[in-house]
Amino acid sequence: MADHTAPGLAVRDLVIAPSASAITQGIAPGEIVGLAGLDGHGQELFLKMLAGLEQPLGGSIELGVSGTFRKITGFRKAVASGIAYLPRDRRANGIFPTQSVLDNFAVSTLSRDARLGLISPAARKARYDIYREKLSIVAPRPDAPITTLSGGNQQKVLLARALALDPAILLLNDPTRGVDVATRHVLYDVFRGLAADGMGLVILSSEIEEILLLCQRVLVFRENEVAAEISGEAMTTESVISAMFGRAA
């Protein structure tokens, strides 16, 4: 478990459902932590609480930056504090389907493109181009409707939007769901690069192999509690599945 006094995300005595045991965890800078579990066993609820989208029944979530801890009490506070969240269902909760690729990218960070109080199209495009190159986004042009892009490239635009917030912690809800194999490996390389640069990542994945490939440790949820925390050589498909079903590995 990460040091709760260190910078990063500190989860203390978090209760996510009635009669469930409290969760205390730390997510350190540069760490990639996986969340696993059978559907509906609390891992997605936990991730949304970290993002400020759901309120816990007890306990606290704090983000430590530059020696100070900020309590996360809602989504806006989470974003302002340095937490970015990539939703699971990009069509329902992520993209703005009537807007362009560039508008979808810039919607969360419009103030960064202002020059003398006015939005600078050149500044906005220059900022988008940085992430287009970094994430290998394939788009015909920035003003094309986002719906003209493949699912994988839509996902990259949403990731670019999240990264443009310069977060300390990135929360990813099944980030490679519905994307092709090539895009998946581009995203894996990006995630590893972000962690190497000091960003903390929490990845919920429905694919155990993905967690084993990317994460230093995994929290396995069962009945709205952390049933097991597995790391290092103990992280195997068998050990994760056993914890998901409440069996000893």
Side-chain angles (χ1 to χ4, degrees):
M1 190 182 296
D3 179 1
H4 298 306
T5 63
L9 198 62
V11 178
R12 296 187 178 92
D13 299 320
L14 199 75
V15 180
I16 70 173
S19 73
S21 297
I23 300 166
T24 295
Q25 284 288 330
I27 312 297
E31 186 178 28
I32 306 179
V33 178
L35 304 181
L38 298 170
D39 276 352
H41 275 257
Q43 64 273 22
E44 186 170 28
L45 189 56
F46 176 73
L47 189 71
K48 287 184 173 181
M49 285 178 183
L50 299 185
L53 291 165
E54 298 280 354
Q55 291 302 310
L57 301 184
S60 66
I61 300 163
E62 296 179 337
L63 182 65
V65 180
S66 305
T68 62
F69 275 86
R70 301 176 186 174
K71 194 166 184 178
I72 305 306
T73 53
F75 183 67
R76 286 179 182 275
K77 185 70 179 283
V79 172
S81 299
I83 295 174
Y85 173 73
L86 193 68
R88 181 176 197 163
D89 188 341
R90 61 178 170 266
R91 293 192 183 280
N93 303 313
I95 66 167
F96 295 95
T98 60
Q99 302 297 312
S100 70
V101 172
L102 191 57
D103 287 339
N104 268 274
F105 161 74
V107 67
S108 298
T109 47
L110 283 174
S111 61
R112 300 187 188 192
D113 304 318
R115 300 291 182 272
L116 303 174
L118 298 172
I119 295 296
S120 164
R124 188 168 63 158
K125 184 176 181 303
R127 205 158 54 85
Y128 163 74
D129 282 342
I130 292 169
Y131 291 97
R132 179 181 57 78
E133 191 168 325
K134 186 173 184 177
L135 300 179
S136 304
I137 296 171
V138 178
R141 57 186 195 280
D143 61 349
I146 193 165
T147 49
T148 62
L149 272 57
S150 68
N153 282 294
Q154 289 179 24
Q155 187 74 330
K156 288 179 184 177
V157 172
L158 293 186
L159 179 58
R161 180 203 296 171
L163 295 180
L165 292 163
D166 297 325
I169 299 286
L170 181 62
L171 308 175
L172 301 161
N173 193 340
D174 231 354
T176 65
R177 182 172 176 248
V179 305
D180 61 66
V181 173
T183 299
R184 184 171 294 216
H185 286 284
V186 169
L187 293 175
Y188 291 168
D189 287 343
V190 169
F191 298 155
R192 291 187 186 106
L194 294 170
D197 290 340
M199 190 181 294
L201 285 79
V202 182
I203 301 178
L204 184 158
S205 179
S206 52
E207 296 187 27
I208 295 171
E209 291 303 321
E210 186 164 277
I211 284 174
L212 299 179
L213 200 61
L214 285 171
C215 304
Q216 285 106 329
R217 61 188 172 103
V218 56
L219 306 179
V220 184
F221 280 73
R222 180 168 172 77
E223 296 176 352
N224 297 303
E225 301 176 1
V226 176
E229 178 177 347
I230 310 169
S231 61
E233 291 181 3
M235 270 176 65
T236 63
T237 303
E238 293 74 19
S239 66
V240 174
I241 289 175
S242 293
M244 285 166 64
F245 284 95
R247 300 192 300 260

